[in-house]
Amino acid sequence: MSSRADLAIVVPVLNEIETLPLLLEHLRHWQQRGVEVLLVDGGSRDHTAETARALDFRVLDAARGRATQMNSGARACTANNLLFLHADTRLPDGADQAVLAALANLPHAWGRFDVQIEGRSRMLPLIARLMNLRSRLSGIATGDQALFMSRELFERVGGFPEQPLMEDIEISKRLKSVVAPICLRQTVITSGRRWDSRGSWRTILLMWQLRWAYWRGTPAQQLAERYR
């Protein structure tokens, strides 16, 4: 790997020991392609951080909170382009090339992938299609879609807002105020465990209620308590 990679993948983790082997196998692939990979642990108690370090992954300790962890990871990376990956999301083949091509020679650019949701519920393919359509029409992306951006733009908007929920919605709004997102058709695959465990319709209703309340000005802290 060169001393300075073109792309960094930042992965916030918290108590991921059960799924960690598959995550690290996925991340090893990108390491071998020359991508800077950094896991940011928010205080795991199940040896997530120790296990990843033992397998020669770079792990940064940070205060708990996805936004805080991702901001800390971005500051610790050296690459000029950043991709923020949830621990239960997998990138498609050639994702690094697709991102770098999208951001090439654009100091202020950002985007996301289309998403596919894996799980038991028959509703998940429809949910994913609606997520992709809504994102394309609104210019607002979710963290499940693997947000990517130039470091210069990330710093210009102040990074992720330090809030416990809707940090992806808020940074999308800030980024969108500068430039429209690049919507890649390649799909990331994310886990549908939230919909499977809570029920598809119940989860859809909850997420729309939370987004509506957030748009109306309800503090993210209050929404996070309802989300748990």
Side-chain angles (χ1 to χ4, degrees), residues 74-105:
R75 288 193 294 268
C77 289
T78 62
N80 289 326
N81 301 292
L82 306 167
L83 187 153
F84 299 94
L85 184 70
H86 286 187
D88 60 357
T89 301
R90 302 292 177 261
L91 296 166
D93 291 340
D96 52 347
Q97 294 175 338
V99 168
L100 291 174
L103 300 179
N105 304 315

Side-chain angles (χ1 to χ4, degrees), residues 11-106:
V11 189
V13 293
L14 180 67
N15 297 325
E16 296 286 349
I17 196 65
E18 291 186 5
T19 59
L20 191 64
L22 290 177
L23 172 62
L24 296 184
E25 180 182 356
H26 183 65
L27 294 176
R28 183 76 72 190
H29 169 74
W30 302 111
Q31 278 188 332
Q32 293 170 348
R33 289 174 63 90
V35 176
E36 182 179 6
V37 173
L38 176 62
L39 292 90
V40 188
D41 188 75
S44 294
R45 298 183 179 181
D46 63 355
H47 304 294
T48 290
E50 296 90 336
T51 301
R53 288 191 180 103
L55 293 171
D56 296 325
F57 281 88
R58 184 181 173 205
V59 182
L60 177 70
D61 295 316
R64 180 174 178 174
R66 184 173 280 165
T68 301
Q69 290 169 242
M70 291 188 291
N71 285 338
S72 297
R75 288 193 294 268
C77 289
T78 62
N80 289 326
N81 301 292
L82 306 167
L83 187 153
F84 299 94
L85 184 70
H86 286 187
D88 60 357
T89 301
R90 302 292 177 261
L91 296 166
D93 291 340
D96 52 347
Q97 294 175 338
V99 168
L100 291 174
L103 300 179
N105 304 315
L106 296 173

Side-chain angles (χ1 to χ4, degrees), residues 127-194:
I127 292 169
R129 285 197 295 271
L130 292 176
M131 285 174 61
N132 296 330
L133 177 61
R134 182 192 67 222
S135 175
R136 189 165 274 106
L137 292 176
S138 68
I140 301 295
T142 68
D144 291 330
Q145 294 173 296
L147 286 163
F148 58 85
M149 62 203 72
S150 66
R151 175 179 295 278
E152 187 171 334
L153 181 57
F154 177 82
E155 293 175 351
R156 175 172 171 174
V157 301
F160 287 91
E162 300 282 341
Q163 59 190 55
L165 195 68
M166 302 290 181
E167 76 287 339
D168 49 359
I169 304 300
E170 186 60 35
I171 196 173
S172 291
K173 290 164 60 178
R174 297 179 182 182
L175 294 166
K176 180 186 174 183
S177 70
V178 179
V179 63
I182 300 164
C183 299
L184 297 182
R185 292 285 184 180
Q186 294 99 316
T187 57
V188 297
I189 299 175
T190 195
S191 170
R193 59 188 177 184
R194 181 174 60 211

